[in-house]
Amino acid sequence: MVFVGGILLDFNYKAMSRILKVPDEKFRDKIFKTMEENLTTMKKELGAVPPREEVVRVLKEKFEKRVDP
């Protein structure tokens, strides 16, 4: 089994939309809106950033149950 991906604890959508090289401000606004709608974070889903250690612990626990029948 291979798991590929990332878990974002938090993300600054505004800063990312500002630093990307884009043709104009209208496009920059579209990028911001698209990221905000399609890129989620633990903070967005839970209302707060959980401790990294807790995220690692839960992921390990769930993957171990899935892999080791």
Side-chain angles (χ1 to χ4, degrees):
M1 176 186 291
V2 176
F3 174 78
V4 178
I7 296 175
L8 296 173
L9 298 178
D10 199 4
F11 187 79
N12 189 329
Y13 303 96
K14 202 59 135 172
M16 181 59 81
S17 68
R18 281 194 311 264
I19 63 172
L20 291 173
K21 187 175 181 179
V22 297
D24 57 40
E25 286 305 309
K26 185 176 178 185
F27 194 78
R28 186 175 311 284
D29 292 341
K30 175 138 179 69
I31 286 176
F32 172 78
K33 185 178 178 188
T34 300
M35 283 191 300
E36 198 171 48
E37 290 172 351
N38 296 294
L39 183 69
T40 195
T41 66
M42 297 293 281
K43 183 176 182 178
K44 196 175 193 181
E45 298 298 323
L46 302 174
V49 177
R52 184 180 186 282
E53 297 78 20
E54 178 71 5
V55 174
V56 170
R57 185 190 64 74
V58 171
L59 283 172
K60 281 179 68 175
E61 177 185 305
K62 299 300 181 182
F63 279 126
E64 285 171 356
K65 284 182 183 175
R66 192 84 166 141
V67 174
D68 191 19

